[in-house]
Amino acid sequence: MTSAMTRMVARLLLLPTLITAVAILVKGYTQPGDGFSAGVVASLGVLLQLMVFGREEAEKIPGVRQAGTLAFVGLLAALGLAVWPLLLGDAVLTHYPPPGAKVLHFGTLEFITAVLFDCAIFVLVFGFVVGTVGAISRAIEDADEQEAP
Amino acid sequence: MTGAALLPLSVLVPWVLAASLALADGRRPLVAWVSVVGIGAGFACVMGLTFAVLRGGPVEMVAGGWPEGVGITLRADALGVTFAAVSVGVILASLVYEVLGGVRSRTFPALVAFMAAGLTGLFLTGDAFNFYVFFEISMTAAYALTGYREKDYQVRAAFIFAVINLLGSVIFLIAVAALYHVTGTLDMEVMARRAAGVQPSSIISIAVAVLVAFSLKLGLFPFHFWLPAVYVGSHPPVAAILSGALANIGGYGLLRFGADVLPRELELGTAAVLVLGTASIIYGALQAISRQETAEVLAYSAIGQAGYILVAIGIGGPVAYAAAVVYAVVNSLNKALLFLAAGGRGRLVGAAFAVGAFSVVGVPPAAGFVAKLAMFRASVEAGSVALTALIFLGGALSFVYAFQIYQRIYWTPEDGKRKAGPLPARILVGLLAVLILAAGLWPEPLLVLGEAAAGVLEGR
């Protein structure tokens, strides 16, 4: 069992980590988002919960139990966004609106398909990391259970 | 459809298929057949692209419509499409074989689709870093496939495979980073142009790193120590995919990075490449003769056959490059046939195995004859008696091991009594054998492909 201090810090850190992840998701290093980094940050936040509180507790966070499925949904969404321009006669991975065109704003958030693509990458990375570590922890638990009785 | 549409489709079809299949249970026949149809569609795209490229020259697409040099390019030239078509074809045949026999793991179809996605991407990319990424995707699928039936020794083999390959990855990644450092680009075409203007001494160490990385990952001599362990553990269709499709990366990588991007450095290293190739041919053949188990014999045979490709690359020039491509294509068909046939029993499969064995040896009318002939032409062109003798010797040795296996499997009295496996799977193996015979009887397409691919390398 982890100490009370560790548990408190872990609990306190979860929300700020996720908010940081969302911030990176919509605004990456040089503008439009960075789904990969955001995915890594968010999954690190969740992995901390997994380490400190155990798998059962961590699975109460939405999306953690279905992480494996999420990874492939993210991959499919990203691929879909990559293929879509082909149907419109453009090169793969073309983003809309094109450079120079007027972009819809919501505060500093810009509505362009590149951000959507990053969201898909975010889901993919988050799902993969959390899913893989979850699977490993499940395998360890199974092995422990076999030894215990 | 035009090449411009087929190029992205060839890469994307297996990708989308792989991601969707990963969510389904591959043991269900419906899912398994969907995977066959999907890979079949991918194969059709690659074949269409091959015709488009042969007729109309290379096809290029820059992702995102960025100007060239900024965006990441997909580039299909004759060399890339040849390897892509053969690899996806072998994957399709192995997948059909497994599906006919009944898939036993829920992830098998998805892994095979990921392998196809990685390989088509790798052969059709024009970007060195993307090459690395696709390389890793197909390798990751390969580790998982090696552990397919989850027996202890298979998991052990998969572990060895993964560790060795990650080591190779690190070396390759360092080489790509170093190439970027020297040339300032990751686009292979631009890289080739800029590398030509740099002192070879500053690139030769990078070229060595590339050679070592490919040799390590694909088990070329003297980095082959892990290869037999992996093949002995694996299931026939998996071995066919590893040897007939994945191993093509070695030949392709050496042709692309050696002959295409770094030709001067390859020329400097001619002696080393020739010695390695010669050693592989002799060592692989002798080891194969001394082994008992079929999978082990075929694994050592693979080391020997890779030697021929190395020798052809070492000789250099249009004739030898064409020979290397033809040899690689025929070799992957042979290996697919032999591994699939070795998994079955009965008269039809035995005959198919014999065709494959004849093809490895280079006896007409099997396709192997065309490949050996191309090698002879290359060695005669090079004016080297020693190389010509070597190729003859290699052929003679392969005759010994190929028929040792044939004897051991099919000439035993029990052969008729053992379970023969499902008839459709046996027919599939027979069809592969017919394909190899047909390619030997009508070698035109094979030779045209080889020459077109060599033309890419000489075009610079």
Side-chain angles (χ1 to χ4, degrees), chain B residues 84-414:
Chain B
V86 173
S87 306
V88 180
V90 167
I91 289 176
L92 179 63
S94 311
L95 177 66
V96 174
Y97 181 92
E98 176 68 12
V99 170
L100 289 172
V103 180
R104 265 162 288 185
S105 145
R106 74 188 301 278
T107 51
F108 184 82
L111 285 172
V112 170
F114 270 116
M115 170 78 87
L119 285 175
T120 42
L122 181 150
F123 293 130
L124 301 179
T125 184
D127 182 280
F129 188 75
N130 270 22
F131 180 94
Y132 166 76
V133 172
F134 285 120
F135 198 165
E136 280 313 296
I137 288 165
S138 40
M139 278 296 176
T140 311
Y143 315 142
L145 279 175
T146 315
Y148 179 38
R149 279 195 288 183
E150 299 187 351
K151 298 242 176 62
D152 261 0
Y153 66 95
Q154 286 174 331
V155 174
R156 209 157 38 234
F159 182 74
I160 298 173
F161 194 28
V163 170
I164 295 291
N165 273 289
L166 288 178
L167 200 66
S169 293
V170 172
I171 298 176
F172 186 68
L173 197 57
I174 291 172
V176 169
L179 272 175
Y180 180 73
H181 182 76
V182 174
T183 60
T185 177
L186 285 170
D187 188 289
M188 294 184 199
E189 209 166 70
V190 184
M191 203 182 250
R193 232 177 298 141
R194 294 196 188 158
V198 182
Q199 283 288 324
S201 57
S202 59
I203 303 192
I204 192 81
S205 52
I206 305 175
V208 171
V210 172
L211 176 73
V212 169
F214 281 124
S215 310
L216 201 57
K217 277 173 166 273
L218 300 150
L220 305 182
F221 183 85
F223 302 97
H224 60 276
F225 48 88
W226 57 272
L227 193 93
V230 171
Y231 279 83
V232 168
S234 52
H235 183 54
V238 174
I241 289 176
L242 294 185
S243 180
L246 189 72
N248 280 336
I249 301 174
Y252 175 78
L254 289 171
L255 282 169
R256 181 64 83 196
F257 280 91
D260 191 19
V261 177
L262 305 170
R264 287 183 312 158
E265 288 72 19
L266 179 68
E267 221 176 301
L268 285 176
T270 301
V273 174
L274 282 179
V275 167
L276 283 181
T278 310
S280 310
I281 293 176
I282 295 173
Y283 174 86
L286 289 179
Q287 282 283 4
I289 290 173
S290 70
R291 299 294 147 154
Q292 296 284 327
E293 208 184 319
T294 314
E296 219 172 344
V297 174
L298 291 179
Y300 278 108
S301 157
I303 296 170
Q305 301 298 314
Y308 289 97
I309 299 169
L310 268 181
V311 165
I313 292 172
I315 294 172
V319 179
Y321 288 150
V325 174
V326 170
Y327 206 93
V329 170
V330 171
N331 182 39
S332 63
L333 291 177
N334 287 346
K335 282 286 138 59
L337 172 62
L338 287 177
F339 274 111
L340 290 182
R345 293 289 176 271
R347 204 168 294 162
L348 177 64
V349 177
F353 189 94
V355 170
F358 274 127
S359 190
V360 167
V361 178
V363 177
F369 173 67
V370 181
K372 279 275 184 329
L373 200 64
M375 285 298 301
F376 272 120
R377 251 189 82 199
S379 65
V380 169
E381 192 107 332
S384 164
V385 182
L387 283 179
T388 317
L390 170 75
I391 292 160
F392 185 76
L393 176 71
L397 290 174
S398 56
F399 189 83
V400 177
Y401 67 71
F403 282 89
Q404 268 180 350
I405 322 176
Y406 183 74
Q407 246 178 335
R408 243 174 253 137
I409 305 183
Y410 304 100
W411 276 7
T412 49
E414 304 95 67

Side-chain angles (χ1 to χ4, degrees), chain A residues 69 72 75-76 79 83 91-94, chain B residues 8 12 15 19 22-23 62-65:
Chain A
T69 316
F72 290 106
L75 180 56
L76 273 179
L79 285 170
V83 184
V92 171
L93 274 175
T94 307
Chain B
L12 286 165
W15 259 112
L23 298 170
V62 184

Side-chain angles (χ1 to χ4, degrees), chain A residues 18-99:
Chain A
L18 294 182
I19 290 173
T20 312
V22 172
I24 301 175
L25 178 60
V26 292
K27 279 285 173 213
Y29 299 110
T30 39
Q31 295 289 300
D34 187 348
F36 186 86
S37 309
V40 172
V41 170
S43 48
L44 283 178
V46 171
L47 291 187
L48 183 64
Q49 311 300 308
L50 198 96
M51 302 261 296
V52 174
F53 299 107
R55 196 165 57 82
E56 269 176 33
E57 199 65 24
E59 279 184 350
K60 287 181 187 159
I61 303 169
V64 173
R65 191 185 288 275
Q66 307 83 359
T69 316
L70 271 186
F72 290 106
V73 170
L75 180 56
L76 273 179
L79 285 170
L81 281 163
V83 184
W84 176 246
L86 275 183
L87 302 178
L88 303 177
D90 288 318
V92 171
L93 274 175
T94 307
H95 288 295
Y96 305 100

